[in-house]
Amino acid sequence: MSEFVCLIGLLLGAYGAGKIVNDRLRWTPTRSIADVLFAIAMGLTLLQGLMFFLGVLGVLYATVLHGVAAAWAGLALWTLTKWGPWLGQHVRRLPTSLAWYQLVAVAVAGFGLLANAVRALAPPHGATDPLAYQLALPKLYLLSNTLGFEESVNGALYPAAINMLYMLGLAVSSDSMPQLTHWGFGVLCCGAVVGVGQSLSTTKAGLWGAVVLALSPVLVYFGSLGYIDAGLAFFQVMALWALLEWMDSPGRQQLLLVGVLTGAAMSCKPHGIATLGVVLVILALTDGRWRTPRLHWQELALAASVALAVASPWYLRSYLFAGNPVWPLAGGIFGGVEFGHVNFGIPGYVRQLVEDPSMTAAVGGFISGILDRLWTKLPSLWYWSWTPQSWQHAIGPHLVALLPGLLLVPRSRQIHRLIGVTALYYVITIAVLQANPRYNMVLLALMAVLAGHVIENLFSERLKSLRPIVPVAIAVTVTLGAAWSFHLARPVWPVATGQVSREDFLRGQESTYPLFEFVNRNLPDDANILFQGIVKGFYCDRAYIWDHPYQRVVHYADLPDDVALARHLASLGVTHVARMIQVPPSRVRLGYPQYFLDPYHERFRKRYLTPIYQDNGYILFRFDPRGVTGNG
Amino acid sequence: MPEGLLSLIERARPGLQVAVAFWALGVLGYHYYDQGYHLLVAHLLGLQP
């Protein structure tokens, strides 16, 4: 539970730091929610930048990180003293004359969010990606004290600003802190929806939007796990909110804020680049009614250059390590360190555009491809609601139920702009960004604001008596959604509250945990382990290399026999091999060897490997090169 | 837009609003039933194993 205190400290410190910067640059929104959220976004961007800087310097030592945490805690206390009374006043003013069903909906959605927080407090388990990348990479950085290049881990050079916060959490709190931070980003997204609603419609519309977003299955399910998508969505919503505010009252200072937040979104994940796309399209389409064309282009260049300046350290890092700013994507253009698989579900025509140097053919293919994809993927929203392929695509029914109402409700110029930005992001999502709602929660947040606007305004004055019908139905569905959150949280309640030890819980939940317990207790600190068939390395406290089929660090096809393999592993400094005894068929189809049935790997095992640990699923070998010297 | 059409739309607006409300209620009701939320609630209340 101490993680909650850490999260509150993180956000208060971010508010304090961001408020200082925003006040100095005269970004001072009049509305309190906007003031708080823009300051938090700025403060978190600063902290992420600081952690990146420390990582590049190679000083990610416990003392340094505890020093950063202590300074941030001091900042949080200062914030509380300086701004606490002001914040308290505004919080007391927030709920403006809510009807009973609105109170019920907000309270029950809050209960659902708390149930999700219980899940976040459990040790990371189950989902693959966090234990293989999002949490595993920060832990590897902590083990090596530097922001190095883990060449065998997918996405090792992706921008990782959110992961920098996770790294600090892992260093000063517990394994659950990153999950709770991600949950906190989900709550911040809901707050941003309230703020955007307040800005463009009404506070009540924003509250309904937040309720709709809080219940969307993709956020409920993934928001409590160690992914980064809710964090990306938060910075994207803030950037687009700043853009909408700029459209209302254009000014250079406001445009700088758009640029900084767009850069912050681009620093979270390559998908954040889509935010820059939206910003540039909107800036280019906005006509010169209130400014000269020259100034207009200057503004476009200003926003783009600020965004690129904020995000560039991440892309520069990738370029310096791998010769490719977006490694391992777009290898056809940038070249760089070889990687066996660059698709990641991106549509073929996008891949062709970035990888085929003959641009004429590529552009032609891109245009026809994008039109074809737009046509086939246009109803994605419908399918995400009714027949999602997985939890990643499950958005729930509220958007499909409510958005048609936009045709009938009163729409201000601001709402029209929001519809435009949302439609543009939807097109980008389905045409370019894998049509995956988990990667694009910002889209759900924007749509949730519009849904909230519909809930508040569906019935005109003539049908005033019917107004509660839809909100009451939403309140009922909120209760059902919260029941699901409660149901998901129930199994982890004992471990989240300390009734069951974290170790016992993990022994039952994570099949690799006993193996890594052995590794962490018995292997020397400088051990270097080759994982064979094992994907989740988070609980391993020693350096490791992952032999998945796409990386090229250990590429069996390039090593003709067991002697060559032994020589190569010796050159990499491998001391042990941890192997999954029976690799599941799904991974074999991906290209993993079935090691114990493979003559090549059997020859290698018999000659160079000595078992030192075995359980039902895994075996650990000591690697003895027997006189073979490394070739590197 | 012609004056007559505008007034027609204005006269139809209440009916359309009711239709959209029914659409929303139908979608929400069917979705939660289809996804088995009634079973979940029964389970949580101890009415079903």
Side-chain angles (χ1 to χ4, degrees), chain A residues 530-535 546-552 554-559 565 569 577-605 617-619 621:
Chain A
L530 173 68
F531 286 177
Q532 292 189 321
I534 295 171
V535 178
W546 189 16
D547 84 336
H548 69 86
Y550 307 143
Q551 52 77 38
R552 288 293 181 266
V554 180
H555 193 224
Y556 298 120
D558 295 339
L559 303 163
L565 175 57
L569 295 187
V577 173
R579 180 181 288 184
M580 190 177 213
I581 293 173
Q582 186 163 16
V583 180
S586 57
R587 282 189 203 162
V588 173
R589 277 196 295 276
L590 274 178
Y592 280 95
Q594 189 60 271
Y595 302 93
F596 283 108
L597 297 178
D598 187 319
Y600 169 88
H601 286 282
E602 274 296 271
R603 276 196 303 277
F604 172 74
R605 177 182 71 79
Y618 302 91
I619 187 162
F621 299 104

Side-chain angles (χ1 to χ4, degrees), chain A residues 385 398 400-401 408 458 460 473, chain B residues 13 17 20-21 23 25 30-32:
Chain A
S385 297
H398 292 94
V400 162
L408 295 171
L458 182 59
S460 53
Chain B
R13 189 176 288 274
Q17 286 170 343
V20 167
W23 160 262
L25 296 182
Y30 180 72
H31 181 91
Y32 281 92

Side-chain angles (χ1 to χ4, degrees), chain A residues 210-350:
Chain A
V211 164
V212 166
L213 180 67
L215 279 183
S216 92
V218 64
L219 183 62
V220 169
Y221 192 82
F222 291 101
S224 305
L225 304 177
Y227 289 81
I228 54 117
D229 303 280
L232 168 66
F234 172 64
F235 287 107
Q236 288 183 297
V237 175
M238 297 307 292
L240 297 177
W241 182 8
L243 178 70
L244 289 161
E245 293 274 324
W246 172 84
M247 290 166 89
D248 228 16
S249 51
R252 199 146 290 206
Q253 296 298 109
Q254 184 68 22
L255 204 60
L256 276 172
L257 182 62
V258 175
V260 170
L261 293 171
T262 302
M266 292 166 67
S267 305
C268 297
K269 197 176 182 177
H271 289 75
I273 296 172
T275 324
L276 182 63
V278 173
V279 168
L280 293 185
V281 168
I282 296 292
L283 288 178
L285 289 181
T286 310
D287 62 37
R289 268 178 301 183
W290 63 82
R291 67 189 79 89
T292 65
R294 188 166 156 269
L295 186 61
H296 172 69
W297 284 104
Q298 276 181 354
E299 287 167 342
L300 200 138
L302 177 71
S305 53
V306 171
L308 290 172
V310 171
S312 60
W314 286 104
Y315 295 90
L316 192 63
R317 165 181 177 254
S318 178
Y319 179 75
L320 292 176
F321 273 126
N324 175 351
V326 288
W327 186 86
L329 304 169
I333 286 182
F334 299 108
V337 173
E338 197 189 344
F339 195 78
H341 182 76
V342 290
N343 184 353
F344 296 116
I346 294 170
Y349 57 85
V350 177

Side-chain angles (χ1 to χ4, degrees), chain A residues 461-545:
Chain A
E461 206 56 35
R462 280 172 64 184
L463 296 172
K464 203 174 170 183
S465 57
L466 294 179
R467 272 187 186 165
I469 288 180
V470 174
V472 167
I474 303 290
V476 172
T477 59
V478 171
T479 310
L480 294 171
W484 183 53
S485 291
F486 174 74
H487 179 65
L488 288 175
R490 214 159 48 158
V492 300
W493 177 257
V495 68
T497 52
Q499 296 165 48
V500 170
S501 79
R502 297 170 79 83
E503 291 76 17
D504 284 345
F505 176 81
L506 285 167
R507 280 182 208 117
Q509 294 290 328
E510 277 302 318
S511 61
T512 51
Y513 190 75
L515 164 73
F516 291 141
E517 268 192 315
F518 179 88
V519 165
N520 299 341
R521 282 183 192 152
N522 297 287
L523 265 50
D525 287 345
D526 60 352
N528 189 15
I529 307 166
L530 173 68
F531 286 177
Q532 292 189 321
I534 295 171
V535 178
K536 304 174 183 175
F538 176 69
Y539 287 108
C540 181
D541 291 346
R542 301 291 182 273
Y544 58 85
I545 296 167

Side-chain angles (χ1 to χ4, degrees), chain A residues 87-98:
Chain A
L87 283 171
Q89 266 178 14
H90 282 273
V91 168
R92 276 195 295 277
R93 266 190 238 153
L94 251 185
T96 49
S97 61
L98 296 178

Side-chain angles (χ1 to χ4, degrees), chain A residues 45-84:
Chain A
T45 304
L46 291 173
L47 182 60
Q48 289 161 350
L50 173 66
M51 295 303 296
F52 175 83
F53 184 63
L54 295 175
V56 169
L57 287 181
V59 292
L60 296 173
Y61 298 104
T63 326
V64 174
L65 296 172
H66 278 90
V68 170
W72 205 256
L75 191 60
L77 284 175
W78 175 81
T79 306
L80 210 53
T81 328
K82 186 166 169 62
W83 301 103

